[in-house]
Amino acid sequence: MTSYRSRCASYAMEMLSHCLGVHHAIHLLLVDDKLWVWYYDRQGIIQSDGISIVADLSRFLVILFAFQRFTLEDFGVIRSLNPGAVAAHEHPASHSKTKQAAKPIKKANLPLRLDNYYDAGRRLKEVTLKLDEVLSPSPHCLAGRGTAVLAADGKQGNRKGLPMVCKIYYPEVKRSHEGTTLRIIHEIAKINGKEMTKHLPELYFMEICHNPLQGFKKLEKITNVKGGDFVKAWLEVVTCHSFLWKNYVEHGDPSLNNAMYDPSLKCGVLTDFDLSLLQWEPRVLGDDRTGTIPFMALDLLSQAYWEGTLKRYYHHELESFIWILLYTFLLYEDAERQRIRMPTTGELPDTTYVDTQAGYRIYR
């Protein structure tokens, strides 16, 4: 039975990972005459009670009739982000005399209308996602937020070509949306430290209900900057992080990928607030032990922290920035990544905190 469950989970992982426009997956597991319905999304797995398709034939038929009436959305397809699935299932050619299903649409660019999106002042009418320019590692897992960052161009009125990046992710239901959190953080910065606004990501638009999509100003990796400019940008990110902590906002995930550089303003920018915590809001269960393990403080790479008995303080976050600085100094030279025996973030384990702690103590 375990092997059947593992196989179903593997199929679900492939379905959730092969396309950005898949919200969940539904599988039927049939072993002998016993049938189970499995539901998978990035927050968890739900298994139904098993029924016998022989002894409970009436219930089995009800299940089939229910699935027959499912829409693409019921099966987990996000229409605007998955035009290939829409074409394959609803194109008239699939009902022609040849009985050949329409081939999925394959485009490098995917235009999206922004009629029902929250606009942050840019008055964008349309955005074109560049599906062949994925700027983040492609998620290939069941758990997690399934984050993907793509290059995009926005359209303001009759003007086209506003460069930006679009982030697609599936946050925990009880957690505040990143776009909503950013709007609150920008208001805090305007009141308590206006000079900090340029060190925060600029939100262009967001959509909460249907498409997990938001648009931001396009930035560069902080490792593209070298010399004193890099140190200045890094220090600005640390200063912004400290300012937010003093104003009861915990970023929760300092890492090299979340420290960016704005070439137009020539400054560092702290990004990725999908795991941040507003201290005056109720904490979501399981959200207080976040972070990118290769850059986490050594004290946090312990069983006590993962059991929730060790409290996270600001000095733990600051230590993460020190690791980022050392990591960059050892691995980069003149904005070019060097081939030396320092473990990369890909080589360091991202799930086994004990191994990471041991590895860092060796290189320390």
Side-chain angles (χ1 to χ4, degrees):
M1 184 62 182
T2 302
S3 62
Y4 294 125
R5 291 199 298 263
S6 299
R7 192 174 303 173
C8 272
S10 177
Y11 293 155
M13 181 178 67
E14 294 299 329
M15 293 177 68
L16 291 173
S17 304
H18 94 284
C19 177
L20 300 175
V22 178
H23 178 269
H24 60 264
I26 299 175
H27 280 204
L28 297 180
L29 175 60
L30 181 64
V31 180
D32 298 327
D33 68 330
K34 203 81 167 180
L35 179 74
W36 292 266
V37 180
W38 289 75
Y39 172 93
Y40 302 84
D41 64 16
R42 293 173 176 83
Q43 190 167 333
I45 303 172
I46 300 175
Q47 175 194 351
S48 72
D49 290 332
I51 64 169
S52 170
I53 63 173
V54 177
D56 294 325
L57 180 60
S58 58
R59 292 184 181 180
F60 175 59
L61 293 177
V62 169
I63 292 175
L64 294 182
F65 283 132
F67 281 128
Q68 185 184 36
R69 287 156 176 77
F70 267 31
T71 63
L72 287 177
E73 290 86 351
D74 294 328
F75 280 113
V77 174
I78 301 175
R79 287 177 173 269
S80 59
L81 299 179
N82 199 345
V86 175
H89 289 84
E90 297 184 355
H91 197 279
S94 62
H95 302 288
S96 64
K97 294 181 179 179
T98 59
K99 301 295 182 181
Q100 293 180 350
K103 294 183 178 180
I105 297 175
K106 294 183 179 179
K107 291 183 177 180
N109 297 328
L110 177 62
L112 291 176
R113 295 286 300 174
L114 300 180
D115 297 330
N116 298 319
Y117 285 68
Y118 165 79
D119 186 271
R122 287 284 177 168
R123 298 181 180 178
L124 295 171
K125 300 298 182 182
E126 184 179 288
V127 63
T128 301
L129 301 180
K130 299 180 180 180
L131 301 181
D132 56 346
E133 293 187 38
V134 180
L135 305 178
S136 62
S138 299
H140 194 76
C141 58
L142 277 177
R145 301 177 304 282
T147 303
V149 180
L150 298 87
D153 286 325
K155 180 180 179 181
Q156 296 174 295
N158 295 325
R159 296 172 53 193
K160 295 183 178 181
L162 175 65
M164 67 172 67
V165 295
C166 286
K167 179 178 179 178
I168 302 170
Y169 84 116
Y170 302 86
E172 190 171 350
V173 174
K174 294 183 179 179
R175 184 185 292 277
S176 297
H177 191 277
E178 181 182 13
T180 303
T181 301
L182 272 176
R183 291 168 62 189
I184 296 173
I185 291 173
H186 272 278
E187 289 300 319
I188 293 174
K190 289 177 182 178
I191 296 173
N192 299 328
K194 197 170 183 179
E195 70 280 359
M196 287 295 137
T197 56
K198 67 178 183 179
H199 303 302
L200 296 170
E202 183 177 350
L203 178 69
Y204 285 172
F205 69 88
M206 70 173 184
E207 212 281 348
I208 301 177
C209 298
H210 303 292
N211 298 336
L213 180 67
Q214 47 194 344
F216 297 95
K217 180 180 180 179
K218 190 172 184 178
L219 303 171
E220 293 182 358
K221 294 181 178 180
I222 198 171
T223 51
N224 290 348
V225 191
K226 56 185 179 180
D229 291 336
F230 166 79
V231 177
K232 173 179 174 291
W234 173 85
L235 186 58
E236 288 170 338
V237 172
V238 176
T239 304
C240 179
H241 179 275
S242 174
F243 165 80
L244 294 177
W245 190 281
K246 292 175 182 177
N247 285 276
Y248 310 104
V249 178
E250 300 178 23
H251 181 271
D253 189 18
S255 69
L256 183 60
N257 290 334
N258 294 340
M260 302 293 285
Y261 182 76
D262 189 333
S264 61
L265 299 178
K266 299 186 183 304
C267 66
V269 179
L270 179 64
T271 65
D272 201 355
F273 286 81
D274 53 356
L275 291 176
S276 62
L277 299 173
L278 305 178
Q279 292 182 1
W280 59 86
E281 294 184 348
R283 289 180 179 264
V284 179
L285 181 64
D287 68 353
D288 56 340
R289 292 182 292 279
T290 59
T292 301
I293 288 182
F295 299 107
M296 289 178 68
L298 290 177
D299 287 347
L300 301 183
L301 299 175
S302 63
Q303 188 66 27
Y305 178 69
W306 295 100
E307 290 176 350
T309 59
L310 178 63
K311 187 175 180 180
R312 186 180 189 134
Y313 293 99
Y314 175 73
H315 69 82
H316 294 129
E317 302 271 298
L318 181 60
E319 184 178 333
S320 295
F321 284 106
I322 300 300
W323 284 117
I324 293 171
L325 189 65
L326 294 176
Y327 179 90
T328 307
F329 282 168
L330 290 172
L331 197 60
Y332 288 84
E333 183 176 349
D334 293 331
E336 294 291 334
R337 185 168 170 170
Q338 304 300 305
R339 292 182 176 273
I340 60 175
R341 276 315 305 158
M342 174 66 186
T344 67
T345 54
E347 294 172 333
L348 286 169
D350 57 0
T351 54
T352 309
Y353 56 86
V354 176
D355 292 341
T356 304
Q357 184 190 54
Y360 263 170
R361 290 193 185 280
I362 291 173
Y363 284 95
R364 193 176 185 183

